């Protein structure tokens, strides 16, 4: 037998065997760049901090907002959830889970919740803001208390804020913070 007909026969045999096979599929995660939008006065500046990628189903980007007219600042972390189990939870339940974890962590360091109040986010949803008191010297110099909140920005994106701003600026931050 000549090599060419043997090669053609082998290719046809493999092609016939491959036809009934189904395509293999798998999901994968991609990272896309979005814009964080926030409407505060001209004395505020935002600095992008660390990007945290995790194999545990979340990625986050940290931001620091400084008020150049006063010694006040806010820390914001924007988290995107892609975990199969966490993404099945409602946005409200997931926000509550993140908030409980954050408050538990600072209470373990001795901070105490002294009250809460409500702000409205850019989607018109109520966000509960928790006020905590701290014995930390750095926080004592700025009034001794700070605010913390967690809320859903859209879809899989959540915001965590720890704010040393006054109530008006914290409210404005929550009201205008959006991912576009």
């Amino acid at each position: 037998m000549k090599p060419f007909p043997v090669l053609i026969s082998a290719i046809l045999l493999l092609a016939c065997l491959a036809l009934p096979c189904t395509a293999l599929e798998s999901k994968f995660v991609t990272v896309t760049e979005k814009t964080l939008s926030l409407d505060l006065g001209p004395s505020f500046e935002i600095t992008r901090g660390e990007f945290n990628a995790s194999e545990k189903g979340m990625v986050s980007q940290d931001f620091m907002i400084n008020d150049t007219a006063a010694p006040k600042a806010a820390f914001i972390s924007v988290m995107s959830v892609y975990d199969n189990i966490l993404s099945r939870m409602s946005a409200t339940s997931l926000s509550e889970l993140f908030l409980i974890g954050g408050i538990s962590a600072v209470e373990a360091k001795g901070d105490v919740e002294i009250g809460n109040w409500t702000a409205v986010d850019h989607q018109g949803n109520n966000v509960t803001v928790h006020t905590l008191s701290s014995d930390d010297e750095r926080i004592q110099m700025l009034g001794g208390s700070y605010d913390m909140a967690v809320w859903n920005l859209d879809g899989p994106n959540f915001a965590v804020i720890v704010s040393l701003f006054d109530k008006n600026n914290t409210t404005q931050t929550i009201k205008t913070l959006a991912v576009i």
Side-chain angles (χ1 to χ4, degrees), residues 136-149:
D136 186 305
E137 282 184 34
R138 299 168 293 180
I139 295 174
Q140 283 295 321
M141 293 180 349
L142 299 171
S145 66
Y146 60 94
D147 295 313
M148 179 185 288

Side-chain angles (χ1 to χ4, degrees), residues 21-27:
C21 295
T22 60
L24 297 175
E25 295 179 353
S26 182
K27 291 184 178 185

Side-chain angles (χ1 to χ4, degrees), residues 6 27 31 50 66 90 96 109 117 148 150-151 159 161-162:
V6 172
K27 291 184 178 185
V31 176
E50 190 172 328
N66 291 305
S90 72
E96 189 68 24
K109 294 181 179 181
W117 47 278
M148 179 185 288
V150 178
W151 71 102
I161 186 170
V162 177

Side-chain angles (χ1 to χ4, degrees), residues 37-41 44 65 73-74 76 116-131 147-149 151 153 161-178:
S37 173
L38 182 64
D39 186 15
L40 291 171
F44 292 88
I65 302 171
I76 296 175
N116 62 59
W117 47 278
T118 303
V120 177
D121 69 8
H122 78 283
Q123 300 177 62
N125 299 317
N126 288 335
V127 175
T128 303
V129 182
H130 300 265
T131 303
D147 295 313
M148 179 185 288
W151 71 102
L153 293 171
I161 186 170
V162 177
S163 175
L164 291 164
F165 293 152
D166 60 26
K167 187 174 182 176
N168 291 335
N169 285 322
T170 300
T171 299
Q172 183 68 8
T173 301
I174 291 169
K175 181 180 176 182
T176 63
L177 187 70

Side-chain angles (χ1 to χ4, degrees), residues 32-38 63 178-180:
T32 62
E33 185 173 304
K34 299 217 177 200
T35 301
L36 186 69
S37 173
L38 182 64
F63 299 89
V179 174
I180 50 176

Side-chain angles (χ1 to χ4, degrees), residues 49-54 58-63 77-80:
E50 190 172 328
F51 176 79
N52 302 300
S54 167
M58 290 188 335
V59 294
S60 66
Q61 178 76 56
D62 299 337
F63 299 89
S77 183
V78 177
M79 301 179 299
S80 294

Side-chain angles (χ1 to χ4, degrees), residues 96-108 132 146 148 150 160:
E96 189 68 24
L97 180 68
F98 293 145
L99 180 67
I100 289 169
I103 289 179
S104 295
V106 296
E107 284 179 338
L132 294 112
Y146 60 94
M148 179 185 288
V150 178
V160 177

